[in-house]
Structure formats: C-alpha cells, structure tokens
C-alpha cells in the first residue's frame, strides 16, 4: 500500500503539478505528515537533478552501464 500510494502521489505531482485530495489523504494516512513532506521533497529533488542534467546535456560517463536500456 505505501508503494502504490507514493507512486500515485509522484505520478500526479509530475503529471499535473498537483496532488488530488484523495491521493494526498491516502498517502498521508500511511506515511504521516512528515513522510509526505519527505516524499514531495524527494520527488522535487529528483526532478531538479533530472532537468539540470537534461538542460546541460550531461552524458553518461564512458563505460558506465545505463540501467534502463
């Protein structure tokens, strides 16, 4: 349940920049208020890093394995 609630929050936040009240309530009931702050901060930090790497076209280091290929 925690994984699916966190995934739903992340998807909504990344897709719409908002979290529906129902998704927020479901995730908060599992993670608590502090856990929600941690989750939203984590999503934001990963988004920031991804955008920065994309904006400056940072390549994967030579010889490094790309795990999603």
């Amino acid at each position: 349940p925690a994984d699916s609630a966190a995934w739903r929050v992340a998807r909504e936040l990344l897709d719409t920049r908002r979290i529906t009240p129902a998704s927020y309530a479901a995730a908060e009931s599992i993670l608590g208020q502090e856990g929600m702050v941690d989750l939203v901060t984590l999503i934001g930090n990963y988004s920031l890093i991804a955008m920065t790497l994309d904006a400056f076209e940072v390549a994967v280091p030579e010889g490094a394995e790309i795990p999603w290929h």
Side-chain angles (χ1 to χ4, degrees):
D3 287 350
S4 61
W7 182 87
R8 192 168 41 254
V9 166
R11 269 292 26 114
E12 288 181 10
L13 197 53
L14 293 170
D15 291 346
T16 69
R17 307 293 183 248
R18 300 279 186 266
I19 305 168
T20 62
S23 293
Y24 189 94
E28 186 181 34
S29 72
I30 297 166
L31 303 174
Q33 186 176 21
E34 202 171 305
M36 288 299 294
V37 172
D38 290 344
L39 177 60
V40 172
T41 301
L42 181 68
I43 294 165
N45 285 336
Y46 273 103
S47 296
L48 170 67
I49 291 167
M51 283 189 253
T52 303
L53 293 173
D54 286 345
F56 293 103
E57 299 179 356
V58 176
V60 175
E62 191 173 320
E65 182 180 331
I66 301 174
W68 55 88
H69 282 201

